[in-house]
Structure formats: C-alpha cells, structure tokens
Amino acid sequence: MTREEQFMPNGIPRHIRCYDNCGRSFDRYTVVYTGNYKGRDGCDYMGMSENPYHPQGFGQHGWNQQVIDYPKYSHLGKKIQFTDLPPDCQDAVIQDYKEIWRIK
C-alpha cells in the first residue's frame, strides 16, 4: 500500500473534518486538519467560499491553539462529507493535505 493509499483511501483525505454553515457567512465551508502530522501544534483549518481560487471568492488558512470543532462544532455549521464540498474546495483541501502529510 502506498502512502497516498494509506492517507487518502479512494482519493479521500482520511484525517479531516468538514463543515458547511449553509451560506450564513462568506466562508461557508470549514475543513479542520486532524491527525498527528509532523509539526502539528494546535489546530490547522481552512475556511472557504464555494470558489476559493476565484478573485471574488474566499480561501484562507487558519491556526488556533485549541481544536476549533470539539467539544462543539455548531458555530461551524453541520458536518458534511468531503465529497459534499464543491470541486474547487476539494482540490484546495487535497493540495493542503498532501503537503501536510508529505504525499507526492
């Protein structure tokens, strides 16, 4: 089994949690990167609109000393599956995820 297959079975990142606030804010989607990756200290996450690469879209990384979605996550919206994210959001998450987990 390759490293990519181990960390991304069927092309889906294993160590993330995804949220959708159903359009209550411009950064509608939040993805929290989880797991014990090298250099992890606190909570890395990404907030995005449907088009994180578009000049009028939004895609921003963040870090917090505490995990932002436990014990409660209602402020982030409802939990969704990675496959429920728009395609550009999925692409942005995969790029980050591969860098975090050192997957080529």
Side-chain angles (χ1 to χ4, degrees):
M1 177 180 287
T2 68
R3 185 167 177 80
E4 184 167 349
E5 291 169 335
Q6 179 183 3
F7 286 92
M8 294 181 60
N10 299 315
I12 297 174
R14 175 175 280 173
H15 300 289
I16 61 169
R17 290 187 293 268
C18 305
Y19 302 93
D20 177 358
N21 73 17
C22 300
R24 289 193 312 261
S25 64
F26 192 53
D27 58 339
R28 175 178 178 165
Y29 302 102
T30 302
V31 174
V32 178
Y33 299 98
T34 66
N36 292 321
Y37 50 85
K38 186 175 182 174
R40 180 174 179 191
D41 177 27
C43 178
D44 290 306
Y45 61 92
M46 184 172 185
M48 301 168 274
S49 65
E50 290 183 26
N51 301 298
Y53 298 119
H54 191 278
Q56 293 179 337
F58 180 82
Q60 185 170 344
H61 297 91
W63 177 86
N64 196 54
Q65 189 172 5
Q66 304 296 320
V67 176
I68 66 169
D69 61 337
Y70 277 102
K72 296 182 180 183
Y73 61 84
S74 60
H75 61 287
L76 299 173
K78 65 179 181 173
K79 277 189 178 183
I80 61 171
Q81 299 295 313
F82 172 77
T83 53
D84 294 330
L85 291 170
D88 281 350
C89 294
Q90 289 181 27
D91 181 63
V93 170
I94 287 173
Q95 285 183 37
D96 287 346
Y97 190 80
K98 285 184 172 184
E99 185 175 326
I100 287 169
W101 287 102
R102 292 171 170 72
I103 300 169
K104 294 184 179 188

